[in-house]
Amino acid sequence: DGGITQSPKYLFRKEGQNVTLSCEQNLNHDAMYWYRQDPGQGLRLIYYSQIVNDFQKGDIAEGYSVSREKKESFPLTVTSAQKNPTAFYLCASRVGPDYEQYFGPGTRLTVT
Amino acid sequence: DAKTTQPTSMDCAEGRAANLPCNHSTISGNEYVYWYRQIHSQGPQYIIHGLKNNETNEMASLIITEDRKSSTLILPHATLRDTAVYYCIVRVIYGGSQGNLIFGKGTKLSVKP
């Protein structure tokens, strides 16, 4: 089946630890995105990548880092510098900027 | 990208049509109207998009007013599985920036038996 996978679905970490969220797609899409969603709110863009080995900051990139070494993978690291990391994280991909985005199932991160 | 306004919540009886409105009075000529929905604790799902003509697919119909300042998403026969938050988004497609979507708070549609 083609699609986007995110793992794990639930993740728990202690404050001060870095944590990496996985996002993999087998849709052969060039562009990939990371969004953050807080309870009752819409999605906010963290980082995006239009092509392998290139990525750009979104609206709320502080405290996060990404890499795009392979077309199918776009991992997100939530660093200890992120003040409020507890949130629902969504990864998306699209063929190109003129097409709709496909979203993964999300990872719910809780930091205590 | 233009801002959109949607009602916070709506109810619909199962089997009836659900009509979800969206205002986008500042929409530009090269901006499309997109609809996504998000079922609780899942990733958003693309529904439909359009520029100025009405559009229909297997999931829904999109009606855009002639002045393009508002639109309505129609789910013709709502089921309990259509209970979700529905997002109306307007954005440029061709020549757009990074291609990301700007999600507001959407409309929470509750389909009741």
Side-chain angles (χ1 to χ4, degrees):
Chain A
D1 285 336
I4 302 174
T5 57
Q6 292 185 245
S7 59
K9 188 168 180 62
Y10 298 95
L11 190 55
F12 299 88
R13 281 294 183 270
K14 294 290 187 184
E15 192 173 328
Q17 293 179 336
N18 291 355
V19 58
T20 297
L21 281 60
S22 168
C23 177
E24 304 279 331
Q25 55 99 357
N26 61 3
L27 300 167
N28 200 33
H29 288 174
D30 286 316
M32 297 187 73
Y33 303 81
W34 273 106
Y35 293 88
R36 168 186 172 134
Q37 187 175 34
D38 293 289
Q41 304 297 314
L43 281 66
R44 292 184 290 168
L45 181 68
I46 304 172
Y47 268 98
Y48 65 100
S49 168
Q50 302 280 37
I51 198 169
V52 174
N53 292 322
D54 185 57
F55 49 83
Q56 307 295 329
K57 292 182 179 180
D59 301 319
I60 55 165
E62 185 176 349
Y64 299 99
S65 66
V66 294
S67 63
R68 186 85 187 277
E69 297 176 0
K70 298 185 297 182
K71 188 175 186 177
E72 58 270 22
S73 179
F74 191 41
L76 173 75
T77 296
V78 184
T79 75
S80 56
Q82 169 50 235
K83 300 299 182 197
N84 298 295
T86 294
F88 188 44
Y89 290 89
L90 288 155
C91 179
S93 72
R94 71 198 311 171
V95 171
D98 298 344
Y99 297 87
E100 63 269 20
Q101 290 189 10
Y102 291 88
F103 284 83
T107 291
R108 192 168 297 280
L109 173 65
T110 302
V111 177
T112 57
Chain B
D1 292 327
K3 186 176 178 179
T4 62
T5 304
Q6 299 177 252
T8 302
S9 63
M10 293 182 64
D11 290 341
C12 177
E14 188 178 18
R16 304 297 293 268
N19 297 284
L20 292 91
C22 179
N23 286 320
H24 31 80
S25 58
T26 60
I27 192 170
S28 300
N30 61 348
E31 288 182 311
Y32 283 64
V33 180
Y34 276 80
W35 284 84
Y36 282 73
R37 73 179 183 184
Q38 186 176 23
I39 295 170
H40 183 63
S41 294
Q42 296 183 23
Q45 176 190 23
Y46 165 79
I47 301 174
I48 199 168
H49 75 281
L51 181 63
K52 55 182 178 181
N53 297 322
N54 298 338
E55 302 287 344
T56 295
N57 63 20
E58 65 278 4
M59 290 183 67
S61 294
L62 174 60
I63 309 297
I64 302 174
T65 58
E66 193 169 340
D67 63 7
R68 303 208 324 120
K69 293 185 176 183
S70 67
S71 60
T72 301
L73 179 75
I74 301 172
L75 308 178
H77 305 287
T79 71
L80 299 179
R81 287 176 294 182
D82 292 321
T83 292
V85 177
Y86 287 77
Y87 297 98
C88 170
I89 302 162
V90 293
R91 64 172 292 269
V92 174
I93 288 188
Y94 300 106
S97 56
Q98 63 266 40
N100 67 298
L101 301 168
I102 299 174
F103 286 78
K105 295 184 180 181
T107 296
K108 182 174 174 55
L109 174 69
S110 298
V111 180
K112 300 181 182 301

